[in-house]
Amino acid sequence: MSDPINANPTIIDISNLPSRINNDKELDKNKQLINKITSLSLISNENPELIDDSTSEESEEDEEEDPIDEQEIFDLISSISDPEHPLTLAQLAVVNLSDIELKQVGILTEVLIKITPTITHCSLATLIGLGIRVRLERSLPARFRIKILIKEGTHQSENQVNKQLNDKERVAAACENEQLLSVISQMLSTCK
Amino acid sequence: MVSLLKSIKAHNDKVWNINSHPTLPLLATASTDKTSKIFKLSSLQNFPQLTVLEDTHKRSIRAIEFKPTVKNSADPSFVDLPALALGSFDSTISIWGIDEPSNIDLIDESEISNHEVELLTNASNEWNLIAIIEGHENEIKSVSWNWSGKYLASCSRDKTIWIWETDSETLEEFECICVLNDHGQDIKHVTWHPTKNILASSSYDDTIRIYKQDVDDDDHWSTIGILNGHEGTVWCSKFENPDSPMSKENRIRLVSVSDDLTVRIWSSEDKENEEASELPSSIKHRSEELVWELDCILPTAHSYPIYSVSWSDKTGKIATCGSDGLIVIYKEVSDGNWEIENMKEASHGVYEVNSIIWANTIEGDEILITAGDDGYINFWEVQG
């Protein structure tokens, strides 16, 4: 790629990004400490068993309720790579947990994501939005209606980008463009 | 009441568009899977599939429309064969039709219509590719034939509308006679008036434009109206059929649906008759601009973008569908006064519904047909 559009973006450390795993760890700090100590002792098999139990219980619950929350949406898109930096969208604060909103509309679920481009004239905003949309369309059930908007006041041609990103037909046609699709695939290759 | 008659999984991907033949009981589909399928509109036969049109387009087929039936007054034995146009994201249009069934000549003239219908909608007819039309720079969004089958209009993301002229009986050649480039953005849809050479185009620029063929120059179309008002992409529009029960002479009406969640009806006084008699030919070479007014905004029902609208020529009812999966049927209770007569939620489950049409079955019933992102075609019976 030629000259980067934003050469010096602000970067967030990965360990400071919101995640369910981190939160759980924080809550259970004391337990962890105890676990660590006990694992050092002679009782050896207890620790892995405990972890196994808790994860299997969680996944059973998931199957019953299928609770997709803001954190899960964030997890799906946070690890998408920026098209010009070797960093993720979350590290660049393009996507933020607080800018994801879920709303139930009858049998449908609306997910509204506001993205913050790193600079106000970022020409890659549309591409980033498209990458997020493709990632979510591939991962979420059909009942989701995905709305992606540029966060107010963070981009020169906000309305133009918004309109394009939420036009079903334009998105479908763009996704049939092989060149574009390969760029998006590259952005999504860092997703877990 | 809106009740499901039949549901057919027609495609493995999105169905973008459906269309029924104006006189024959035929339904055709356009899908992301690059194929188009033709079904027979017979509820007694359970809507059988007649054929698949494939291996022609490299990308999604976005639009489909049957050519209207051509009547040849000079030759009463002339049989018009069904044909259709497909518009694709690969920027080309393909034209398809059947060969004349071999046994059609044997039929006595008086019997022709009943047998004709059976022969022309038979599964044994082979549908052949007649022509591929190139010209647009990128994705074609919509195609539409004028009432006589002589003109085909196509529109694209390249912001242009092309009008192609052909021989409506043989479909041998398609010559572009006019390019309209008045829209500032992507053009989503084009549709002709059912009996006049008037065309309406809906756009991503939030407007609708109306064009009319010039009086003394068949190869020139002039803008006779710009409809401003929608606050989002206009996805589709349809003219009222003059045969429709609520239509009035000298009035043209158009219904449009949009991303802004509204359904609007526009109307204009049709000055065609005066124009022809009063003005000297030297100054009437351009069609006169008509005054278009927003008649009304129909009661709100949809909560997500509205993608498609159909105006019944039989009952005058309007049906809409879109991203929310809701089917809404509007009835005009008195002139300009519309009410929601019927609604059907989740018509394709949680999927978006891209296209809706009123169509007649071979049994003579008017039904509603929808097509969705789930690849299904749903057939609905509507009771008022």
Side-chain angles (χ1 to χ4, degrees):
Chain A
M1 202 175 281
S2 56
D3 284 346
I5 290 154
N6 182 1
N8 293 306
T10 319
I11 302 160
I12 302 174
D13 193 86
I14 296 176
S15 59
N16 289 332
L17 292 173
S19 92
R20 208 187 304 279
I21 306 152
N22 282 349
N23 289 345
D24 290 349
K25 267 184 189 163
E26 236 166 75
L27 285 170
D28 294 344
K29 245 180 188 169
N30 288 335
K31 263 190 187 172
Q32 274 178 5
L33 209 65
I34 295 167
N35 282 343
K36 262 187 187 170
I37 295 162
T38 49
S39 70
L40 289 172
S41 74
L42 296 168
I43 321 152
S44 58
N45 267 341
E46 209 180 85
N47 202 17
E49 264 175 30
L50 271 172
I51 291 164
D52 268 20
D53 277 351
S54 65
T55 48
S56 67
E57 258 171 44
E58 244 178 50
S59 64
E60 264 170 40
E61 270 171 29
D62 277 1
E63 272 167 36
E64 279 171 17
E65 281 281 311
D66 195 29
I68 296 174
D69 60 6
E70 284 85 354
Q71 178 70 55
E72 193 159 344
I73 303 288
F74 180 80
D75 290 345
L76 283 170
I77 60 175
S78 59
S79 50
I80 298 173
S81 298
D82 182 83
E84 69 168 3
H85 298 287
L87 297 163
T88 67
L89 296 184
Q91 283 175 295
L92 291 166
V94 173
V95 295
N96 300 289
L97 182 60
S98 56
D99 291 327
I100 299 173
E101 237 175 86
L102 285 170
K103 193 172 85 182
Q104 201 63 33
V105 184
I107 56 166
L108 306 174
T109 311
E110 182 179 306
V111 50
L112 171 65
I113 296 167
K114 291 188 178 170
I115 58 175
T116 311
T118 52
I119 38 169
T120 55
H121 54 275
C122 182
S123 58
L124 296 169
T126 315
L127 181 61
I128 291 170
L130 199 58
I132 293 173
R133 179 171 283 278
V134 170
R135 170 71 173 156
L136 291 178
E137 278 180 3
R138 286 178 186 172
S139 324
L140 294 174
R143 67 165 197 278
F144 279 83
R145 294 293 180 270
I146 303 155
K147 211 174 200 172
I148 299 169
L149 301 175
I150 300 282
K151 195 164 180 170
E152 298 84 353
T154 62
H155 199 276
Q156 284 172 344
S157 34
E158 208 173 290
N159 294 338
Q160 219 177 308
V161 177
N162 287 346
K163 194 164 188 173
Q164 217 168 335
L165 283 179
N166 295 291
D167 181 308
K168 169 191 194 171
E169 192 182 47
R170 296 279 280 252
V171 170
C175 290
E176 289 187 9
N177 180 325
E178 275 172 41
Q179 239 179 323
L180 192 58
L181 206 58
S182 79
V183 176
I184 290 171
S185 298
Q186 213 153 5
M187 288 166 60
L188 301 189
S189 63
T190 47
C191 291
K192 286 151 204 159
Chain B
M1 255 238 315
V2 184
S3 34
L4 188 66
L5 288 172
K6 171 89 180 165
S7 186
I8 298 175
K9 173 88 177 166
H11 296 275
N12 288 322
D13 212 321
K14 282 186 182 70
V15 185
W16 278 112
N17 196 210
I18 45 172
N19 183 250
S20 67
H21 193 281
T23 51
L24 295 169
L26 293 172
L27 174 80
T29 63
S31 167
T32 296
D33 71 10
K34 307 181 187 76
T35 72
S36 165
K37 290 185 178 175
I38 300 176
F39 296 87
K40 186 169 180 176
L41 288 173
S42 166
S43 50
L44 289 176
Q45 291 172 45
N46 229 348
F47 304 100
Q49 180 180 317
L50 301 179
T51 194
V52 187
L53 313 180
E54 56 193 345
D55 301 329
T56 301
H57 289 290
K58 294 182 196 77
R59 293 176 59 184
S60 290
I61 302 175
R62 172 66 179 94
I64 182 156
E65 197 170 285
F66 281 102
K67 178 181 79 82
T69 311
V70 180
K71 288 186 188 75
N72 189 328
S73 49
D75 178 10
S77 71
F78 169 76
V79 177
D80 186 55
L81 301 168
L84 58 81
L86 299 178
S88 166
F89 281 174
D90 71 11
S91 82
T92 68
I93 302 161
S94 60
I95 308 290
W96 301 75
I98 61 165
D99 290 332
E100 191 160 316
S102 51
N103 38 358
I104 205 154
D105 303 325
L106 304 173
I107 296 157
D108 184 61
E109 237 174 68
S110 57
E111 278 181 72
I112 228 161
S113 60
N114 279 336
H115 279 275
E116 198 184 281
V117 170
E118 277 309 320
L119 287 168
L120 296 178
T121 60
N122 199 293
S124 66
N125 291 326
E126 211 170 297
W127 283 76
N128 304 309
L129 179 64
I130 298 172
I132 290 187
I133 311 173
E134 292 173 341
H136 280 290
E137 265 171 46
N138 41 44
E139 300 99 72
I140 288 171
K141 303 294 178 74
S142 175
V143 287
S144 186
W145 300 86
N146 81 321
W147 62 276
S148 68
K150 187 183 177 187
Y151 301 115
L152 177 72
S154 59
C155 66
S156 161
R157 185 164 63 85
D158 68 15
K159 306 173 192 170
T160 64
I161 298 163
W162 293 41
I163 295 175
W164 311 84
E165 189 182 31
T166 186
D167 179 324
S168 59
E169 289 179 21
T170 62
L171 301 178
E172 257 166 10
E173 244 179 283
F174 285 81
E175 189 197 346
C176 177
I177 54 163
C178 184
V179 175
L180 302 165
N181 50 11
D182 307 286
H183 278 293
Q185 293 286 347
D186 189 4
I187 304 165
K188 297 297 195 184
H189 186 258
V190 279
T191 187
W192 290 92
H193 188 278
T195 58
K196 299 170 192 294
N197 281 338
I198 294 178
L199 181 76
S201 60
S202 308
S203 170
Y204 187 83
D205 70 12
D206 304 353
T207 71
I208 300 156
R209 284 178 168 262
I210 317 279
Y211 315 85
K212 191 176 178 185
Q213 189 174 35
D214 285 358
V215 178
D216 69 344
D217 182 359
D218 279 358
D219 292 354
H220 196 273
W221 268 259
S222 302
T223 302
I224 58 162
I226 302 169
L227 314 188
N228 281 303
H230 277 297
E231 288 163 9
T233 297
V234 189
W235 284 103
C236 182
S237 77
K238 292 284 163 64
F239 284 103
E240 180 180 33
N241 193 303
D243 292 338
S244 178
M246 297 300 271
S247 88
K248 279 185 186 169
E249 227 180 304
N250 300 325
R251 178 179 72 174
I252 303 174
R253 288 199 293 180
L254 182 85
V255 62
S256 60
V257 293
S258 161
D259 233 57
D260 71 6
L261 316 185
T262 66
V263 184
R264 293 169 192 247
I265 293 182
W266 314 79
S267 76
S268 169
E269 202 185 327
D270 182 16
K271 290 185 282 186
E272 194 180 64
N273 304 331
E274 305 161 31
E275 203 181 296
S277 55
E278 285 170 19
L279 294 167
S281 61
S282 56
I283 59 161
K284 67 170 189 187
H285 69 285
R286 284 209 162 202
S287 289
E288 230 181 303
E289 212 161 296
L290 300 180
V291 179
W292 287 86
E293 275 171 13
L294 177 66
D295 248 18
C296 56
I297 298 178
L298 303 198
T300 308
H302 289 282
S303 50
Y304 284 99
I306 313 170
Y307 293 137
S308 180
V309 61
S310 183
W311 198 332
S312 165
D313 48 7
K314 231 177 190 176
T315 64
K317 290 179 192 175
I318 287 174
T320 59
C321 70
S323 171
D324 57 7
L326 188 69
I327 296 174
V328 183
I329 297 166
Y330 294 98
K331 190 183 178 178
E332 190 171 20
V333 285
S334 61
D335 195 57
N337 181 14
W338 293 81
E339 281 177 7
I340 294 174
E341 187 197 53
N342 260 308
M343 285 206 278
K344 183 77 190 175
E345 282 179 357
S347 62
H348 285 250
V350 294
Y351 289 87
E352 301 193 319
V353 187
N354 298 315
S355 187
I356 190 164
I357 56 165
W358 295 99
N360 295 304
T361 63
I362 194 167
E363 292 84 13
D365 304 313
E366 188 184 55
I367 58 169
L368 203 57
I369 311 173
T370 53
D373 271 0
D374 55 359
Y376 277 86
I377 309 294
N378 288 346
F379 301 79
W380 307 89
E381 183 184 23
V382 179
Q383 281 163 337

